[in-house]
Amino acid sequence: MFAGCETDTVPVRIGGKWTVKIIICLKAGPRRFSELQTPLRGITPKVLTESLRALERDGFIMRTAHAEIPPRVEYELTPLGRTLFEPMAAFCDWRRAHLSELLDARETYEHRVPTA
Amino acid sequence: MFAGCETDTVPVRIGGKWTVKIIICLKAGPRRFSELQTPLRGITPKVLTESLRALERDGFIMRTAHAEIPPRVEYELTPLGRTLFEPMAAFCDWRRAHLSELLDARETYEHRVPTA
DNA sequence: CTGTATCCTCGCCGATACTG
DNA sequence: CAGTATCGGCGAGGATACAG
């Protein structure tokens, strides 16, 4: 998703397939790599790593590697990352309010008469 | 972008490359096919058609074909489509408030020491 | 446990040409 | 004017195997 207001320079991407879900998973507190893999059923380690790196790069999450055996790495939202919940909530509210209209529209579109 | 709150069923996609821009172009009122091509410099007719169809399918825009020669087709936002501006504004606000932090984070990430 | 390394698929997007 | 038809690139995402 591009938050392209007027100026389009510097697109802000939170539109990956997994990014939003990861952020939600981290809302309750720090999570380990494997603790993220479990709720995100189906994500491969490669893709999870890529997604986490992207979020880290944008300053939304922080990675902490503990020097232990076996290794333990924890990811947690930064204060900046937590600010994302506000606009995200706006979309959730929208979804709640208008999802049924959207579904109706799709249903109607399927059964439409191709216009005479 | 997936507005996936708790339930993930029925993803709502407004994350195409052009969808948001098209919606913004239609904010001021109905526009013709060619009137959309101009501000969206670079979009090909094929992709514009695909994007418009997707928006129409979800009930965000309405297509009106006038039986004239030469043909005239107008696209305009539906009331449902206009409701999208509220959550979109939330992201624009976020962008204004936090873009510099995000840019700083990226800068820092580039110059990071790969952790000892 | 926390990742990398390869390879591959699939769908978005684009270029170009053509049609009613 | 408003599209459709066809071909092709490219990159996100996934499967699988392996490493520190």
Side-chain angles (χ1 to χ4, degrees), chain A residues 1 14-26 40 55 84-85 88 92, chain B residues 1-5 8 91:
Chain A
M1 158 101 208
I14 12 181
K17 183 174 181 180
W18 301 100
T19 30
V20 170
K21 290 176 182 173
I22 291 173
I23 290 171
I24 292 174
C25 285
L26 291 176
L40 306 171
L55 289 168
L84 289 171
F85 284 114
M88 281 170 55
C92 286
Chain B
M1 158 101 207
F2 294 88
C5 314
D8 268 329
F91 262 104

Side-chain angles (χ1 to χ4, degrees), chain B residues 13 16 19 31 48 59 81 98-99 108 113:
Chain B
R13 293 190 35 116
T19 31
R31 291 289 182 267
L48 179 55
H98 300 287
L99 183 57
T108 301
V113 182

Side-chain angles (χ1 to χ4, degrees), chain B residues 35-47:
Chain B
E35 289 175 334
L36 288 169
Q37 272 187 296
T38 305
L40 304 171
R41 288 171 202 284
I43 195 171
T44 61
K46 179 198 154 210
V47 174

Side-chain angles (χ1 to χ4, degrees), chain A residues 16-18 44 46-47 71:
Chain A
K17 183 174 181 180
W18 301 100
T44 61
K46 178 198 155 212
V47 174

Side-chain angles (χ1 to χ4, degrees), chain B residues 49-111:
Chain B
T49 301
E50 290 171 352
S51 305
L52 290 170
R53 290 283 186 281
L55 288 169
E56 192 189 358
R57 183 176 110 93
D58 281 351
F60 295 148
I61 66 175
M62 191 178 60
R63 179 182 182 274
T64 309
H66 302 264
E68 305 173 3
I69 302 293
R72 181 166 57 95
V73 179
E74 286 191 324
Y75 296 91
E76 63 181 320
L77 289 168
T78 62
L80 178 61
R82 295 203 168 270
T83 63
L84 288 171
F85 285 113
E86 190 173 0
M88 280 170 56
F91 262 104
C92 286
D93 292 345
W94 181 92
R95 180 196 173 95
R96 257 191 303 280
H98 300 287
L99 183 57
S100 64
E101 298 174 59
L102 185 140
L103 261 39
D104 287 350
R106 286 187 183 173
E107 188 72 11
T108 301
Y109 189 84
E110 299 305 322
H111 301 149

